[in-house]
Structure formats: C-alpha cells, structure tokens
Amino acid sequence: MFELIRSNKRRSAALIAVFILVVGLVGFAVGAVVGNGLAFTVAALVISAIIAFASYWKADKIALSVSRARPAPPEQYQRLHNLVEGLCIAGGLPKPGVYVIDDPAPNAFATGRNPNHAAIAVTTGLLEKMNRVELEGVIAHELSHIRNYDILVSTLAVTMVGAVALMTDLAIRTMWWNGGRVPRNGDRNNGNNPLALIGIVLLVVAPIVAKLMQATISRRRETLADVSACQLTRYPPGLISALEKLKADTTVTHSASTATAHLWIEQPMSGVGDDGKLGGIHRMFDTHPPLDERIALLREL
C-alpha cells in the first residue's frame, strides 16, 4: 500500500511535467502558425506553470463546482454521513467533505489533493438506488482513491487536460477565422512554412494526447480502488452488487463533463456513442475499464 502511495505521488509529479511539456508544444504550435514561435512558447510555459500551481490548490473546488455539487447537511443525509464516518474510522482516514449532486444517474467521485483536503460527492440517484451495503461499497471505493492518493493526480488532470483542449481549440478557431491561411514572418499569403505545418499537426494531435493521458490516469486506479474497497469493507458482494446496478443503469450523468469523466466511479456518459460505427474508437478514450471486467475481478475475491 505504501509503495502504491509513493508511486501515485511520482505519477502526479510526472503528470505535471508532461502537462507543461504539452502546453509548451501547443505554444510553439500557435507561434509557428501566427509567425512568432519563441514568444508564444515562453508564454505557454509561463501559463502552464501558473495553471499547474493553481490546480494543486484549487482543482478540487473547480471539480465540485463544475459538477454542481453542494454540501450534504448531516441532518438531511444522516445515513450517508454515518457510512462515511464509519469507513473513515476503519481506514484510519480523516473525514472528507461530503457533497451531494442533484442528478438521477447513480454515480459518485472523490476529489482533493491529499486525505486532509479531500471531498466525496454522490448523486441523488445513487442514494435512491443503492441499499446500505451497496452504498457502503461505493463510498469505500471513493475513500480508497483518497487513501491511495489517486485523487491528487486525478484532480490535477481536470484543469490540466481542460487547459490543453481549450488552448488548441482557440488556436484552431483563430486559424479558421483567418481563412485557414498559414503566415510566415508576417507574410499571410505564404503557406509553405514547414514550422507552421508542424504547428498545425501539433494543434490537431495535442487534444488527442490530452484525452489519452486522461484515460490512462484512471483505468488502472479504478481497479485498484475496487480491490482496496473490498479490503476496507471486508464484504466484496456489496461493491459487486453496486457495480451490477451501475451496469444495468444507462442514465447519462448530466453533472459530468469530459474534463471530469475520469473522476467518477463509473463511466459517467456510458452508452453515448458506444453502439455506433465509431463505437470502438469511442471506447479507446473511455476513462474506466469495462464494468464486466471489474465485476469479474471482484468475484475472484
């Protein structure tokens, strides 16, 4: 467990480094397209450093705000608070902030930068559709993310991946408004600049790389959190039953977005585009392993 925590801390540092590199490349790409590569690269590196610093301290608040989470009053959500407190005592964790999201889809996520600064959010749909042992399994899963320090890298990814996508989107839109012309040294009619062509390729590839980073962050950690949750509750059937209910429910989590998709216990936009001709490509960017695989692994326990 301690090695897992150390590994996750190293991965968090690696994510920040890769993010700064990707944003620097995006800045170079924008500069190559508009004809001032060095200035835009330096500006992008400065911006990425600021975003990385701000993300460390505020990304959890951003994730909760984007998901429209509100504090769960103990007097109204007594069962939820009792389960969280009991599992925290069993796991030796400080009690995180407890939030609820008005959404009929059953889902939940954890966010924060460490166990002392963490929060758990659950949807009203989860509270309505899960019995006590199933809800305990879901909460144990989220507390495992907190104990394993998964939440730091996952929370950082919310703002970092979103920033890469936003920068590339703005750059591509700027080119579109410019009629798609690629300038060179201020000459807006010369489209033969090789650096500019490289820049265009980077602008197209960067958001794809960001999405792949987001997908790889979450998949293995979800499986580890499932196993850790069963160690915490010592009752695998509870989480298995919860995952089976999540599998049977195809309601889209409207409070989720592509930036926060990797935080949730289950693919929040499951069923969207999975059955079409591009379903295979769509599943490449799934932030979670298939529920069938997770259930089968827990059954072996």
Side-chain angles (χ1 to χ4, degrees), residues 39-83:
F40 275 91
T41 302
V42 173
L45 289 174
V46 172
I47 292 172
S48 63
I50 294 173
I51 292 175
F53 179 79
S55 296
Y56 180 81
W57 295 102
K58 296 295 182 181
D60 56 336
K61 302 294 190 299
I62 294 173
L64 291 169
S65 178
V66 167
S67 303
R68 299 189 291 276
R70 56 182 174 84
E75 60 276 6
Q76 184 179 356
Y77 296 97
Q78 185 176 4
R79 181 182 69 156
L80 175 62
H81 280 272
N82 288 343
L83 286 174

Side-chain angles (χ1 to χ4, degrees), residues 231-254:
Q231 292 175 340
L232 187 59
T233 63
R234 302 194 183 279
Y235 188 67
L239 182 56
I240 291 173
S241 179
L243 294 179
E244 287 175 338
K245 280 190 176 180
L246 292 175
K247 178 186 174 184
D249 190 288
T250 57
T251 310
V252 174
T253 306
H254 295 289

Side-chain angles (χ1 to χ4, degrees), residues 26-267:
V26 171
F28 165 78
V30 174
V33 169
V34 302
N36 196 351
L38 180 60
F40 275 91
T41 302
V42 173
L45 289 174
V46 172
I47 292 172
S48 63
I50 294 173
I51 292 175
F53 179 79
S55 296
Y56 180 81
W57 295 102
K58 296 295 182 181
D60 56 336
K61 302 294 190 299
I62 294 173
L64 291 169
S65 178
V66 167
S67 303
R68 299 189 291 276
R70 56 182 174 84
E75 60 276 6
Q76 184 179 356
Y77 296 97
Q78 185 176 4
R79 181 182 69 156
L80 175 62
H81 280 272
N82 288 343
L83 286 174
V84 172
E85 290 172 358
L87 289 170
C88 285
I89 292 173
L93 289 169
K95 183 183 177 182
V98 181
Y99 291 77
V100 67
I101 301 168
D102 295 314
D103 195 307
N107 223 323
F109 71 84
T111 184
R113 63 179 183 270
N114 57 46
N116 292 316
H117 301 86
I120 288 178
V122 301
T123 63
T124 52
L126 186 82
L127 296 176
E128 293 171 0
K129 297 176 182 178
M130 299 288 168
N131 60 36
R132 184 178 180 87
V133 294
E134 292 166 347
L135 184 58
E136 182 182 56
V138 172
I139 293 172
H141 172 100
E142 300 305 333
L143 287 176
S144 295
H145 280 310
I146 295 173
R147 185 173 61 174
N148 297 345
Y149 278 77
D150 291 337
I151 54 172
L152 176 58
V153 67
S154 298
T155 302
L156 288 174
V158 172
T159 50
M160 292 181 174
V161 173
V164 172
L166 179 62
M167 289 181 64
T168 54
D169 182 65
L170 289 174
I172 292 174
R173 287 178 184 271
T174 301
M175 288 179 55
W176 180 264
W177 292 333
N178 190 42
R181 290 177 294 177
V182 181
R184 179 185 183 185
N185 297 328
D187 179 7
R188 303 179 67 85
N189 295 318
N190 191 335
N192 298 319
N193 182 3
L195 287 179
L197 296 177
I198 293 174
I200 294 172
V201 173
L202 286 174
L203 289 176
V204 174
V205 172
I208 298 175
V209 172
K211 289 294 294 180
L212 289 174
M213 286 171 56
Q214 184 186 31
T216 56
I217 285 169
S218 181
R219 291 190 179 188
R220 182 168 176 266
R221 296 177 187 225
E222 289 301 319
T223 302
L224 290 174
D226 286 342
V227 176
S228 297
C230 293
Q231 292 175 340
L232 187 59
T233 63
R234 302 194 183 279
Y235 188 67
L239 182 56
I240 291 173
S241 179
L243 294 179
E244 287 175 338
K245 280 190 176 180
L246 292 175
K247 178 186 174 184
D249 190 288
T250 57
T251 310
V252 174
T253 306
H254 295 289
S255 300
S257 66
T258 54
T260 62
H262 62 283
L263 292 177
W264 300 81
I265 187 174
E266 186 251 348
Q267 190 77 24

